[in-house]
């Protein structure tokens, strides 16, 4: 296990949107004016107490924050090691952490006078959260979702439509989250005047990685206060799943300068990181440029992006937010990978032991926690971000579990 | 002939002949490597004054369906940056004076290595490079090695480029300025030429660079109209569509490029006249 190293630059990104050598604004010229306008609007909003007050009030009364910090006693006993806490962000309105950044971004959209919002979605959690805030603020909403993901996340498709959003199936490329993001960027470049792009993760061109991280950091700030109240000290280890990485950064960021707190991100190992069927660029990818920023990616020798694979639609993305690339290179965080089968087992175990059905995404974090907790002394404290609930995954789980016992050929 | 000089000479020739030029974009490797090389070589004969050679990328986020499909065909045919540069060399032997601009996205070039790419592109006989997702804020790592090799990093301006933005774009712009006629992806709806003309006229007051106009120009008639406002008219998506839908892509592409060229010729020395009109209008407003 690596010893966490403190870093003094929790103030990143710099003025060019860089986290060390990662990040930036690799976009078409047509998108530069709206990105600069967003940066300026966000700078003003940060200094506006009314903006913060409105956001706080929505987070509390609409989203249901603060989310509880829950001591998972049966799971702790099962592991026989460190004391395990879940940050219950799956209890938020809409069922995941995505609502945190969507509320922040819709307030920015309103402030900028936009009438239409667009979003990309993988598992559909961000699409649902975006459709929700669009309904609440009477804005038109169009969500791009890969056709492959629509097939495996049907419940969320219906939820978005009920919320009044239009869902546009994306059939280009691998028909997944990456392709949905391409299509959203094409939409944005074609409607820069009236449209706000609500990005779902801490990726994309500057200032999105920073904006999404800042809005998600409410998770880590709450954990800090809740842990002090319950245990009188900070946790020893934080664990969160990483697709683009917004829930992990939300948990990690307020702890970056706390030397004693170890940070572990968990990527989707799919069918194994030694092969090609995974979505773990930090574990088994290389540095490149996609969707506006320089970060780790899955790519071939020609710099063509590879379609990853994960049982979890929300983690099935060949890139990762630039700040994670920076945290990896600076060794402030470490990144593990969990395979499909391990996640599915953790999913079932958590349901039976704790009565909590995690989404496939945090089931990856949970599987990593199951590996680490037994090896740690009982005095250690772990917090895992339960960033989404598994209701959306029950059909997919039923299908996969049947396959496991060989009922389908 | 040295590289940026080839761009400069091409524009000087157009000015002398009092006409606008045609820049034809094709994706390297569409429909396959050999046919694509032959199409590229035929473009100057068909009337192209400049060629843009696309470097296929899996995630072309600024391209519409036609060029996306063109890139997919090229990728299936095994297009690679190395083969694109080989095609460039072959073209250079057959067309010593026609400027060739390599056009694509940042990641394949990043993967190839910026320095190596600049060196090999120069060796192959390219004259300039357009990387759609490298705005001025991000282009230095490629612009500098290209400059050392005598290649131009072509910058783009768009209808939403305001005064401050234009200052940033024009500050280190070289070769020519590529004016993106619509806020949208390639092959989008036809541009609002009145608005485009006004904006281009305003840009001309700030920069002596010649201007190419592209995105949304799909027919000979549209090319004719565009030719009244720009030194060079770029057509890409419509050519890609011809290549994609044809049983004989080489003949189809050739005939279509000729047709575009005729449209531009119909504009005659129209740009100057149009410019004078624009300036009158500018003074009024």
């Amino acid at each position: 296990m690596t010893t966490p190293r403190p870093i003094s630059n929790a103030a990143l990104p710099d003025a060019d949107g860089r986290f060390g050598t990662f990040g930036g604004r690799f976009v078409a010229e047509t998108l530069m004016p709206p990105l600069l306008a967003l940066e300026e609007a966000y700078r003003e909003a940060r200094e506006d107490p009314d903006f913060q007050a409105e956001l706080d009030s929505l987070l509390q009364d609409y989203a249901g924050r603060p989310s509880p910090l829950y001591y998972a006693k049966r799971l702790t006993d099962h592991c026989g090691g460190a004391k395990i806490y879940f940050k219950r962000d799956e209890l938020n309105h809409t069922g995941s952490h995505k609502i945190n950044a969507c509320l922040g971004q819709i307030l920015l959209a309103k402030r900028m006078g936009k009438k239409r919002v667009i979003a990309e979605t993988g598992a559909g959690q961000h699409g649902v959260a975006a459709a929700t805030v669009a309904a609440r603020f009477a804005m038109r909403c169009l969500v791009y979702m890969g056709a492959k993901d629509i097939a495996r996340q049907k419940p969320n498709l219906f939820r978005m439509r009920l919320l009044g959003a239009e869902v546009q199936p994306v059939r280009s490329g691998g028909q997944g989250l990456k392709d949905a993001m391409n299509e959203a960027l094409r939409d944005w470049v074609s409607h820069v005047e009236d449209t706000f792009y609500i990005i779902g993760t801490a990726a994309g061109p500057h200032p999105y990685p920073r904006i999404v991280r800042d809005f998600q950091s409410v998770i880590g700030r709450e954990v800090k206060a809740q842990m002090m109240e319950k245990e009188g000290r900070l946790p020893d280890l934080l664990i969160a799943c990483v697709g683009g990485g917004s829930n992990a950064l939300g948990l990690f960021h307020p702890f970056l300068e706390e030397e004693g707190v170890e940070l572990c991100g968990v990527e989707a190992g799919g069918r194994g990181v030694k092969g090609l069927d995974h979505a773990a660029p930090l574990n088994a990818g290389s540095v490149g440029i996609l969707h506006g920023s320089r970060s780790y990616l899955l790519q071939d020798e020609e710099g063509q992006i590879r379609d990853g694979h994960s049982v979890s639609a929300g983690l099935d993305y060949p890139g990762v937010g630039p700040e994670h690339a920076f945290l990896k290179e600076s060794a402030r965080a470490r990144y593990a990978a969990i395979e499909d089968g391990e996640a599915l087992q953790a999913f079932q175990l958590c349901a039976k032991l704790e009565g909590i059905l995690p989404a496939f995404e945090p089931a990856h974090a949970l599987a990593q926690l199951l590996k680490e907790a037994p090896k740690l002394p009982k005095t250690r404290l772990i917090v895992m971000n339960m960033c989404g609930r598994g209701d959306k995954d029950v059909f997919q789980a039923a299908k996969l579990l049947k396959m496991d016992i060989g009922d389908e050929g | 002939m040295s590289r940026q000089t080839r761009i400069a000479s091409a524009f000087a020739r157009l000015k002398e002949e009092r006409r606008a030029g045609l820049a034809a974009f094709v994706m390297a490797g569409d429909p396959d490597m050999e046919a694509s090389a032959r199409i590229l070589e035929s473009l100057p004969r068909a009337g192209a004054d400049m060629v843009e050679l696309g470097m296929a990328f899996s995630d072309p986020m600024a391209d519409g369906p036609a060029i996306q499909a063109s890139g997919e065909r090229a990728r299936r045919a095994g297009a690679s940056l190395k083969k694109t540069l080989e095609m460039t060399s072959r073209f250079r032997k057959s067309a010593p004076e026609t400027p060739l601009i390599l056009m694509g996205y940042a990641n394949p070039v990043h993967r190839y290595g910026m320095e190596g790419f600049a060196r090999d592109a120069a060796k192959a006989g390219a004259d300039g490079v357009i990387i759609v997702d490298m705005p001025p804020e991000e282009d230095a790592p490629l612009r500098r090695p290209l400059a050392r090799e005598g290649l131009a990093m072509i910058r783009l301006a768009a209808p939403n480029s305001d005064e401050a933005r234009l200052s940033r774009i024009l500050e280190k712009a070289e070769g020519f300025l590529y004016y993106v006629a619509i806020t949208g992806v390639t092959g989008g709806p036809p541009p609002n030429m009145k608005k485009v003309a006004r904006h281009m006229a305003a840009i001309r007051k700030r920069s002596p660079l010649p201007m190419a106009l592209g995105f949304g120009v799909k027919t000979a008639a549209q090319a004719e109209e565009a030719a009244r406002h720009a030194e060079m008219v770029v057509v890409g998506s419509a050519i890609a569509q011809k290549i994609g839908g044809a049983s004989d892509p080489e003949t189809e592409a050739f005939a279509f490029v000729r047709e575009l060229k005729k449209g531009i010729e119909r504009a005659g020395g129209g740009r100057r006249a149009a410019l004078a009109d624009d300036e009158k209008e500018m003074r009024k407003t």
Side-chain angles (χ1 to χ4, degrees), chain B residues 161-184:
Chain B
S161 305
D162 61 12
E163 291 292 307
R165 204 57 215 150
L166 283 172
S167 302
R168 184 86 201 230
I169 294 164
L170 293 172
E171 186 194 357
K172 291 203 165 72
E174 49 191 355
F176 61 92
L177 185 70
Y178 189 126
Y179 188 84
V180 175
I182 51 169
T183 51

Side-chain angles (χ1 to χ4, degrees), chain A residues 1-10 236 252 255-263 325-334:
Chain A
M1 200 178 289
T2 50
T3 317
R5 206 144 52 79
I7 57 170
S8 57
N9 33 15
D236 300 293
F252 294 173
F255 291 93
L256 284 186
E257 290 181 310
E258 304 291 352
E259 267 181 72
V261 183
E262 194 181 358
L263 311 175
F326 173 73
L327 293 177
K328 173 194 154 81
E329 295 246 317
S330 63
R332 176 61 188 93
R334 62 187 165 85

Side-chain angles (χ1 to χ4, degrees), chain A residues 168-186:
Chain A
Q168 177 69 51
V170 176
R171 299 186 201 284
S172 57
Q175 314 194 348
L177 178 53
K178 167 186 81 107
D179 311 288
M181 195 151 180
N182 286 335
E183 225 38 70
L185 285 164
R186 289 182 189 124

Side-chain angles (χ1 to χ4, degrees), chain A residues 56-128:
Chain A
D56 288 346
S57 148
L58 285 163
L59 286 172
Q60 179 184 304
D61 300 336
Y62 189 66
R65 302 208 72 92
S67 68
L69 184 69
Y70 165 72
Y71 167 42
K73 184 171 185 310
R74 289 197 69 206
L75 200 70
T76 301
D77 292 346
H78 172 85
C79 289
K83 200 168 174 184
I84 299 166
Y85 281 89
F86 291 161
K87 177 60 172 167
R88 302 288 306 275
D89 253 51
E90 97 280 15
L91 294 178
N92 295 335
H93 180 42
T94 75
S96 79
H97 69 290
K98 297 293 187 188
I99 193 74
N100 304 330
C102 282
L103 282 170
Q105 289 185 75
I106 200 88
L107 290 182
L108 286 175
K110 190 178 82 165
R111 207 181 163 88
M112 295 175 81
K114 306 292 183 188
K115 300 278 180 260
R116 175 181 182 262
V117 296
I118 56 170
E120 84 295 336
T121 198
Q125 294 298 86
H126 174 60
V128 166

Side-chain angles (χ1 to χ4, degrees), chain A residues 18 24-30 32-33 178 182 185-186 189-190 286-289 299-305, chain B residues 56-61 63 68 75 80-81 107 110-111 132-133 135-138 156 158 160 165 169 183-184:
Chain A
R18 300 278 172 175
R25 276 177 288 221
F26 293 88
V27 295
E29 178 56 39
T30 316
M32 284 304 298
K178 167 186 81 107
N182 286 335
L185 285 164
R186 289 182 189 124
V189 88
S190 309
S286 51
V287 174
I289 297 161
Q299 58 183 325
D300 67 14
E301 288 307 306
E302 283 289 326
Q304 306 290 335
I305 310 305
Chain B
F57 180 48
S58 53
D59 294 84
M61 60 184 188
D63 284 307
Q68 286 177 45
R75 271 162 30 88
S80 66
L81 215 42
N107 198 52
H110 176 270
R111 182 77 184 179
V132 183
D133 53 350
E137 280 78 357
E138 304 291 351
L156 299 94
N160 62 345
R165 204 57 215 150
I169 294 164
T183 51

